[in-house]
Amino acid sequence: QVQLVESGGGLVQAGGSLRLSCAASLPSFETYTIGWFRQAQGKDHEFVAAFTWTGFRTFSSDVVKGRFNISRDNAKNTVFLQMNDLKTEDTAVYYCAAGRGRSWYHRQNYDYWGQGAQVTVSA
């Protein structure tokens, strides 16, 4: 059974850092692009970052602005999202997802999703 599990969320003050992990039980994990999305209360899902199976990293410039980084450990079937200089507007549920399409910025590209991790940034 395919499963993606996010961890590392929590409450942090503005300016602080968090590292989210996405651990996947996914055959041929290395052939999937892993993306991170977030959903703030009352808003749609928003693309944050992706690490493609070819080793390409891409970020939402509007969201990240140089503050986040994404990394991947295929040996451990895990992708990480390092978030620095967090702001109150980063408060959201963060989801990781796995897919094999090329539209990395769109939810429709992804076939499997985790349950989400809450990130709350206080002023």
Side-chain angles (χ1 to χ4, degrees):
Q1 181 178 355
V2 174
Q3 192 174 20
L4 279 68
V5 179
E6 301 93 341
S7 61
L11 174 64
V12 64
Q13 287 189 326
S17 298
L18 283 175
R19 188 174 82 153
L20 300 182
S21 298
C22 173
S25 299
L26 179 62
S28 302
F29 171 82
E30 66 279 3
T31 66
Y32 284 83
T33 290
I34 305 298
W36 286 95
F37 289 77
R38 70 185 187 183
Q39 187 176 28
Q41 194 169 8
K43 296 187 177 181
D44 290 334
H45 280 79
E46 179 179 38
F47 172 77
V48 176
F51 201 125
T52 72
W53 67 275
T54 59
F56 178 70
R57 290 180 284 183
T58 184
F59 301 90
S60 167
S61 57
D62 290 342
V63 170
V64 172
K65 299 179 182 177
R67 300 179 295 129
F68 295 1
N69 192 25
I70 189 170
S71 58
R72 179 172 186 150
D73 186 340
N74 285 339
K76 296 182 178 180
N77 283 19
T78 303
V79 173
F80 304 95
L81 183 69
Q82 177 68 42
M83 305 186 293
N84 301 320
D85 189 24
L86 284 161
K87 305 179 185 304
T88 56
E89 53 263 41
D90 294 317
T91 295
V93 178
Y94 284 72
Y95 298 89
C96 67
R100 283 174 162 162
R102 294 181 178 271
S103 301
W104 306 313
Y105 307 97
H106 300 110
R107 291 182 62 193
Q108 294 83 351
N109 185 67
Y110 298 90
D111 301 308
Y112 306 106
W113 289 79
Q115 82 289 350
Q118 177 70 49
V119 170
T120 303
V121 184
S122 63

